[in-house]
Every structure is written in C-alpha cells, then in structure tokens.
Amino acid sequence: MQTLVIIPAFNEEENITETVSSLIPYLGKYHYLILNDCSNDNTKEILQEGNYNFIDLPINLGIGGAIQTGYRYAETHGYEIVVQFDGDGQHDPLFIDSLIEPILNGEADLVIGSRFLTGEGFQSTGIRRFGIQILQSVIKICTNQVVTDSTSGFRAINNQLVTFFAKNYAQDYPEPESITAAIVNGYRIIEIPVVMKERRKGKSSITNLKSIYYMIKVSLAIMLYKVIKK
Amino acid sequence: MEFSVKLSLLIGVLFYAFLVFTFLKKEKLDLKYSLLWIFFIAVMLIMIIFPQVVYFISSLFGIKTPVNTVFILVILFMLIILLSLTSITSIQARNLKSMAQDLALLEYRVRLMEKESED
C-alpha cells in the first residue's frame, strides 16, 4: 500500500531541512510532499534549492487549507494512506510505522498519535494541556469517544477519509474539528502513543494568549458540527 | 407626522435610492445583491408616505413611541443584510481557497513537466 507523508510548512526555514532529513531513511517506504503555505520567510527558496518535493500555495490558506491540498493531491495520485507530519521537528518518523499499522490491519480509518497516552516526551505547556483536556470532554460529550490528544498534528488516515477530507475539511484549527467530523460520519478512530519533542526553532502558530480563544472557538465548532450534521 | 419631517425623510430616502441605482449603473453592485436594498427602499417609502402603517404596527406590538418601531425595523433589516454579507464572503472564501489549491496543484504539475523536458 502506497503511503504519502504530507508536511505542512508555514515559515519553517529553520526546521524544514532537518525535518526532511529525518525522513530520508524512510523514503523507500513512503513518499513525502511538503505544503508550503505561502511562507513569507525563505522556506520556498530552501525547498527549491534542496530540490524537495513540494507544493507551493499562492496565498496563505492556513493549516486546514494546506493539509486539504495534500489530501487532494493524494486522492488524484491514488495513495492508500496519508500521514500528516509537522514541519517543525516535533514528530519522530520512527512512529510512522506504528501509526499506519491499525489502518493496514483495517482496525481504524483515522489514527492519532497521542503524546498523553504514555506521558513520555514533551507534554506541552500547562495552559495548553488544560485546554486539550477541555476539548477531550467536549468531544466525549458530542461523540461519546475519548480522544486524549485531539490537537495532535501527527496522524494517519486511509483513502476513504482522504476522499472525505479532500471535499470538506475544517480550515482554521482543523485537528479537533476534523476528528469530530470523522466520528460523526461513522469513521473509526483510534489513538496510539507517540513521543513528541519540543519544536526545534521558531514559534508555534498558537501562542499562549491565543490558546484561550482557540479553545472557545474549537469547542463551539465541535458542538455546532454535531448539531448541524446530525 | 409633521410635513417638514416627512419631506426631509423623503429627500433622504430618494437620495439613498439614487445612490443604489448609480452603483447598479456603474456595475459596482450586482443586481442580485441590490434586490434586498431596493426592497428596503420600498418599505421606507411606504412608511414615510403612509405613517399609519407604522402606527398600526406600534399598536399591534404595544410599542408606545412609533419611532421605536422604525428603529427596530431598521435594525432587523441591517441584521439581515449583515448576515447575507457574511454568507457571501463565506462562499467567496471557499471558492477562493478551492482555486488557490487548484492553482498550486497545477503549478506543481507544470514544474514537474518543465523539469522532465529539461532532462
């Protein structure tokens, strides 16, 4: 089964080379595609010089729109599994195999790499952990399923979900909302433990102050989705 | 209603109607979006020429000062217009996103083809 690893990148000039290098030992097994979301630093130049496989978005669509471009690419090229892998060096490609295993066994349509299942590695900051716990409750109430790390950007989906997400995918803060969408539409989800690192350089797209706004917005989006689509 | 009040309101609404039609003529406003505005101009004209309508609505809902009825109607109308604007921008944003993705995917294919023809 052909697997594509998609790497969203927005202003990742300091991390992207290392991220791709970390994937090189695995490139026999997986293909990769970087999605440059109209970065305004030198990300594009680095991608061109390194002769990387990348798609260059003409306008900044945000993480959701960028990821969706990757899903559309995967759909056209007939990939069976798509792994989302952050461009900031937080994720370890060592876990990709265990991430796609439940899909290969037909046990799940979406596999989420959770950093909280074993509690090893970087556990995020206090305020964010608190926010993720609230999201866990909201998702539990709306879908009756426990997702410990709904904001994880390290996940794998099968081709059925690729087709689904290629058509409709949440745009602003897509991870928790797309999980809800997948569950509500009858797709199977499981989490597996992964170890994450602290991002190498540069700053995360979600600052501490924004986390509160993020939390409220995502919770509302999840509840609304549940109400509208049922 | 005093005649002077009636006259100034009428002039105001007519000037507003003139603006809408000028925008339409210069194609700065699509016909389908202008229908709501034209409808509201008609409602305002009716309220000015036949204030009895406003008095009737006021007594119907127990509003003591008829002018408040006018304010409520205007606010309701603006809410509708704002909602329709948000809806329009949402549709446009979705179309724009989809086109940006199409363009990026196409650019990728062109880049690959150019590279192949160079080799």
Side-chain angles (χ1 to χ4, degrees):
Chain A
M1 288 229 245
Q2 197 53 262
T3 302
L4 177 70
V5 178
I6 53 175
I7 308 161
F10 175 64
N11 293 350
E12 295 288 3
E13 59 178 7
E14 292 171 285
N15 298 311
I16 196 70
T17 314
E18 280 178 71
T19 303
V20 179
S21 312
S22 74
L23 277 170
I24 285 174
Y26 303 89
L27 290 186
K29 282 202 264 179
Y30 322 119
H31 293 166
Y32 79 95
L33 175 71
I34 300 164
L35 300 148
N36 177 30
D37 193 11
C38 203
S39 302
N40 35 40
D41 63 359
N42 283 320
T43 305
K44 186 180 175 180
E45 285 69 26
I46 292 168
L47 294 175
Q48 281 171 331
E49 277 162 29
N51 208 8
Y52 296 141
N53 190 37
F54 72 98
I55 277 184
D56 192 38
L57 285 161
I59 50 175
N60 181 262
L61 292 181
I63 176 93
I67 290 293
Q68 195 180 28
T69 315
Y71 290 153
R72 288 182 58 181
Y73 174 93
E75 194 188 22
T76 348
H77 292 78
Y79 284 96
E80 317 244 6
I81 299 173
V82 180
V83 176
Q84 183 185 333
F85 187 85
D86 278 358
D88 59 8
Q90 280 195 76
H91 301 157
D92 189 339
L94 192 68
F95 292 103
I96 294 181
D97 271 344
S98 39
L99 208 59
I100 65 178
E101 206 188 285
I103 294 180
L104 291 173
N105 296 336
E107 291 162 14
D109 305 301
L110 164 61
V111 184
I112 303 157
S114 168
R115 73 203 108 166
F116 302 121
L117 283 179
T118 54
E120 283 174 65
F122 178 59
Q123 294 287 300
S124 192
T125 56
I127 183 161
R128 280 196 218 176
R129 263 206 312 279
F130 177 66
I132 292 168
Q133 252 156 24
I134 292 179
L135 282 183
Q136 182 179 331
S137 319
V138 175
I139 293 178
K140 176 83 171 65
I141 292 165
C142 291
T143 67
N144 204 20
Q145 225 177 308
V146 176
V147 181
T148 60
D149 198 355
S150 58
T151 61
S152 167
F154 195 15
R155 32 200 244 160
I157 61 174
N158 66 6
N159 51 0
Q160 282 171 295
L161 256 184
V162 167
T163 312
F164 178 76
F165 283 154
K167 281 199 195 71
N168 30 51
Y169 197 64
Q171 295 306 311
D172 291 343
Y173 306 108
E175 281 86 11
E177 209 185 315
S178 61
I179 291 173
T180 315
I183 299 175
V184 169
N185 288 282
Y187 293 97
R188 296 159 303 160
I189 290 184
I190 59 168
E191 282 189 300
I192 60 145
V194 296
V195 179
M196 289 192 196
K197 294 168 259 185
E198 197 163 358
R199 59 178 290 126
R200 285 205 195 89
K201 288 158 193 159
K203 60 176 168 47
S204 161
S205 54
I206 305 167
T207 59
N208 263 344
L209 204 88
K210 273 192 197 159
S211 337
I212 298 162
Y213 176 58
Y214 169 87
M215 272 294 314
I216 296 167
K217 195 170 158 178
V218 173
S219 302
L220 277 176
I222 290 171
M223 291 186 269
L224 265 179
Y225 191 91
K226 171 76 179 161
V227 174
I228 294 166
K229 301 284 159 149
K230 255 285 140 113
Chain B
M1 192 157 55
E2 296 268 338
F3 179 73
S4 59
V5 177
K6 221 173 185 175
L7 188 68
S8 31
L9 283 175
L10 199 62
I11 291 171
V13 171
L14 286 178
F15 177 70
Y16 183 66
F18 169 77
L19 269 186
V20 170
F21 285 110
T22 313
F23 269 67
L24 270 174
K25 214 175 164 193
K26 287 183 178 170
E27 292 178 357
K28 284 179 178 175
L29 188 64
D30 276 350
L31 197 65
K32 62 173 174 179
Y33 300 138
S34 69
L35 293 178
L36 257 179
W37 293 112
I38 292 169
F39 170 74
F40 191 55
I41 289 168
V43 172
M44 286 195 289
L45 282 177
I46 290 170
M47 289 197 297
I48 293 165
I49 299 166
F50 309 106
Q52 296 87 339
V53 178
V54 180
Y55 302 149
F56 174 71
I57 297 173
S58 305
S59 64
L60 199 69
F61 290 96
I63 300 165
K64 290 204 176 88
T65 330
V67 72
N68 281 337
T69 309
V70 177
F71 286 144
I72 289 170
L73 286 176
V74 169
I75 290 169
L76 277 180
F77 179 76
M78 288 205 288
L79 284 177
I80 293 169
I81 289 268
L82 282 178
L83 185 65
S84 81
L85 273 179
T86 321
S87 160
I88 292 163
T89 48
S90 299
I91 293 166
Q92 285 181 341
R94 197 189 313 140
N95 291 344
L96 189 62
K97 179 201 78 185
S98 177
M99 274 188 341
Q101 291 175 337
D102 288 344
L103 184 62
L105 290 164
L106 205 61
E107 189 268 345
Y108 175 84
R109 286 176 59 191
V110 171
R111 193 166 7 108
L112 278 197
M113 279 185 209
E114 278 177 348
K115 210 179 276 176
E116 266 170 32
S117 65
E118 270 172 32
D119 293 340

